[in-house]
Amino acid sequence: MSRVFGRIIVVAVLCALPKLALAQGGATGSVVGYVFDQGGQPLKGIKIIAKSDTQIGGGRTAYTNDEGFFRFVGLLPGTFEVSASAKGLRTVLQKGIAVGVSSSAEVNLVMEVESQQLEEVKVIEKAPIVSVTSSVIKEVYDAEFVDSLPLDDKTAIEAFIGNDVPGAVSVSARTTRIRGGGGNQNAFRVDGFYMNGQRVTHKALAAFEVQTAGYGADGAAYSGGVVNMVTKSGSNKFEFDVTALLTDSYFRFFTVEAIDNTQHAWVYNLNPSFSGPIIKDRLWYYANIETRSEVRASEKDPTGIAPTPRKFSTGNLRGSVKLTYQVSPRNKLQSIFQMNRRFAKNNVTGFGVEQDAQGKLDNSDGMVGVIWESMLTDNVLFRTQVALQQFNADLAPERCRNSPEDCDHIYPITQSFPRLQTLQNYPRHQLDTSQTIEFINKFEWFGSSKVFGDHNVKLQDT
């Protein structure tokens, strides 16, 4: 959808639900709920505070309406705690509320009359109730789960989804089919931006959500699946984390030369991340860099007659940087930078391949985006964002890089008997370059009335 500039989508969703409203979709989460007394009557004017390490600007405050209802929108994914307090009532605190990407986390609190003793804080620790306000069928994964994935390549988000999400199949390193949808029938979004074909490191994700049915208005344009990912923003704590992987054939012990007759091969992977405040409660940063080097080798000919095949080598350099600035209590500015570079050589296997006719790959892609988010009123959220993306894919024989004038004079090695067959060499030269600019404006109104209940009305253009 982002590739068609000027295409306008206007969505107005009026959900005639008697109680909780549908949450907004996209790149933020929300918390909704009710506060009751011991007799089940709704309590009006109760002060509600939502806090999390991921919430820049400190805790968010709201007050319950006539129905005892409260709502927090535009929250960054993470684990929240919600407290309810009022004069004459015991303060109630609920911890461990998991806020995801789109659907609301729902919290219902019961407050008791305060006794003559000192004020007591009642702590409730329980899992949030199952959402009854959204028809979306989805799987949500938080940062802790993502970090614990047993993958040596922490960028293959598509492969994980294809292998572990029901209804999804991994086709290639960059393509996943959800419910049979092709590449343009699925949507991969990062912080609300359409990022099909881009790569983002797992470590940079605060959470991601895989929707496989019931997408609602936000995913109406896709017949396959919708994947919403939100990158980390840092916190008030300075943090440094690094993971590393080292696999080297030199570390193989007790080998037998006649059996373990392979060349030197290895996989190196280093993935450090840095985050913290630049200005406490105002300006945060998060940065993640991943470097990877891999060499795969074939077995040598034990007789020594055939030449040793050349090693296949590949490398990656990826990075993600995010700055989040709380301009005022109601206005937030975010800037995002994503970069990916992959290179490989000796793509053609077998004997007799001319070195300068070996395929050599050099791919790169990147994205720069800016997001402005404003709470115009307690019930109106405005979000505008723009991103520029560029893709470059260059695959050609090595001679094309060293001697471009001879690029057209590389021919495949063929055999004519017993049948004509192309062997070895890589004669094709392919260069693909594209740029995309994407504008998204989103206006959401969260209405509430005794007669019609709570609703979410959204207008969006892309």
Side-chain angles (χ1 to χ4, degrees):
M1 182 170 60
S2 64
R3 297 180 183 275
V4 183
F5 178 75
R7 179 178 178 181
I8 305 298
I9 293 181
V10 179
V11 180
V13 182
L14 294 175
C15 304
L17 295 174
K19 293 297 181 180
L20 301 181
L22 289 177
Q24 78 279 13
T28 57
S30 58
V31 174
V32 296
Y34 288 90
V35 180
F36 303 97
D37 63 16
Q38 290 175 289
Q41 296 300 312
L43 296 176
K44 177 184 177 181
I46 303 297
K47 183 180 181 180
I48 311 294
I49 299 177
K51 294 181 179 179
S52 173
D53 289 340
T54 65
Q55 191 58 40
I56 193 169
R60 293 272 296 274
T61 302
Y63 293 87
T64 57
N65 62 12
D66 292 340
E67 302 296 320
F69 177 73
F70 66 89
R71 177 192 288 111
F72 296 97
V73 298
L75 303 178
L76 292 173
T79 301
F80 280 71
E81 62 178 44
V82 173
S83 64
S85 60
K87 186 176 181 181
L89 297 174
R90 292 182 181 178
T91 298
V92 176
L93 176 66
Q94 180 162 325
K95 296 182 177 180
I97 302 170
V99 173
V101 180
S102 60
S103 297
S104 295
E106 299 170 20
V107 180
N108 291 324
L109 303 173
V110 177
M111 300 187 72
E112 302 174 359
V113 177
E114 185 179 359
S115 65
Q116 297 299 321
Q117 301 174 352
L118 295 176
E119 180 181 358
E120 178 182 349
V121 176
K122 184 178 181 181
V123 179
I124 305 173
E125 295 193 40
K126 62 180 181 180
I129 62 176
V130 176
S131 175
V132 297
T133 65
S134 174
S135 61
V136 176
I137 299 175
K138 64 186 185 303
E139 293 287 345
V140 180
Y141 306 92
D142 58 17
E144 182 178 357
F145 177 86
V146 172
D147 287 341
S148 64
L149 288 175
L151 300 175
D152 64 341
D153 184 354
K154 288 289 186 178
T155 61
I157 191 81
E158 297 92 340
F160 167 76
I161 294 172
N163 293 325
D164 292 84
V165 175
V169 177
S170 179
V171 178
S172 66
R174 290 185 179 230
T175 305
T176 298
R177 294 188 181 274
I178 302 175
R179 296 175 58 197
N184 293 326
Q185 295 171 315
N186 299 317
F188 285 83
R189 297 173 178 154
V190 177
D191 291 325
F193 294 112
Y194 183 86
M195 295 275 285
N196 286 34
Q198 287 264 16
R199 300 298 293 271
V200 57
T201 59
H202 281 186
K203 211 164 196 176
L205 296 180
F208 72 90
E209 173 187 84
V210 184
Q211 299 178 2
T212 56
Y215 308 135
D218 278 333
Y222 304 101
S223 59
V226 177
V227 181
N228 288 311
M229 294 173 273
V230 179
T231 55
K232 296 178 182 177
S233 298
S235 69
N236 278 327
K237 296 181 290 186
F238 289 101
E239 295 181 303
F240 170 71
D241 180 35
V242 60
T243 57
L245 170 72
L246 170 60
T247 302
D248 196 305
S249 61
Y250 282 163
F251 295 159
R252 298 170 61 189
F253 300 105
F254 310 109
T255 59
V256 179
E257 184 175 357
I259 300 175
D260 303 305
N261 189 23
T262 60
Q263 306 173 73
H264 182 208
W266 66 81
V267 176
Y268 300 151
N269 196 337
L270 185 64
N271 195 330
S273 62
F274 313 83
S275 64
I278 299 175
I279 303 174
K280 187 177 180 181
D281 279 331
R282 293 294 297 275
L283 180 60
W284 294 354
Y285 72 91
Y286 180 87
N288 176 226
I289 300 172
E290 175 166 309
T291 61
R292 179 182 176 87
S293 174
E294 179 178 358
V295 170
R296 297 197 300 266
S298 303
E299 291 188 3
K300 302 176 183 178
D301 181 4
T303 66
I305 299 175
T308 301
R310 294 185 175 92
K311 301 176 183 179
F312 168 77
S313 62
T314 181
N316 290 99
L317 176 62
R318 299 186 175 109
S320 177
V321 178
K322 186 174 185 180
L323 292 175
T324 304
Y325 179 42
Q326 192 75 37
V327 180
S328 68
R330 289 184 176 270
N331 298 283
K332 182 168 61 180
L333 178 66
Q334 300 176 79
S335 62
I336 305 165
F337 172 75
Q338 302 276 351
M339 180 271 294
N340 173 54
R341 179 82 182 273
R342 180 175 183 266
F343 43 89
K345 63 179 182 178
N346 292 341
N347 289 303
V348 181
T349 59
F351 303 116
V353 184
E354 303 172 30
Q355 179 60 44
D356 61 359
Q358 280 277 4
K360 192 170 184 180
L361 173 73
D362 189 352
N363 286 355
S364 63
D365 52 70
M367 185 272 280
V368 177
V370 178
I371 303 171
W372 175 268
E373 189 173 273
S374 294
M375 289 296 300
L376 302 181
T377 70
D378 289 341
N379 296 318
V380 177
L381 175 66
F382 174 71
R383 181 183 174 101
T384 182
Q385 54 192 95
V386 59
L388 176 65
Q389 300 184 41
Q390 178 164 319
F391 298 83
N392 293 293
D394 191 356
L395 179 58
E398 289 192 21
R399 188 187 302 173
C400 292
R401 307 185 190 284
N402 302 327
S403 181
E405 63 275 8
D406 296 330
C407 191
D408 295 330
H409 301 287
I410 298 177
Y411 305 101
I413 299 175
T414 62
Q415 70 172 23
S416 57
F417 181 83
R419 63 185 178 87
L420 184 65
Q421 184 178 4
T422 300
L423 302 173
Q424 278 75 43
N425 284 357
Y426 191 89
R428 185 162 58 101
H429 186 195
Q430 180 176 340
L431 175 62
D432 298 321
T433 300
S434 65
Q435 294 85 28
T436 302
I437 186 168
E438 180 180 23
F439 296 93
I440 303 174
N441 296 292
K442 184 183 297 185
F443 179 90
E444 291 186 86
W445 173 65
F446 301 89
S448 177
S449 70
K450 293 183 178 180
V451 178
F452 298 105
D454 297 281
H455 304 279
N456 173 201
V457 179
K458 179 186 299 183
L459 301 177
Q460 176 175 321
D461 70 269
T462 301

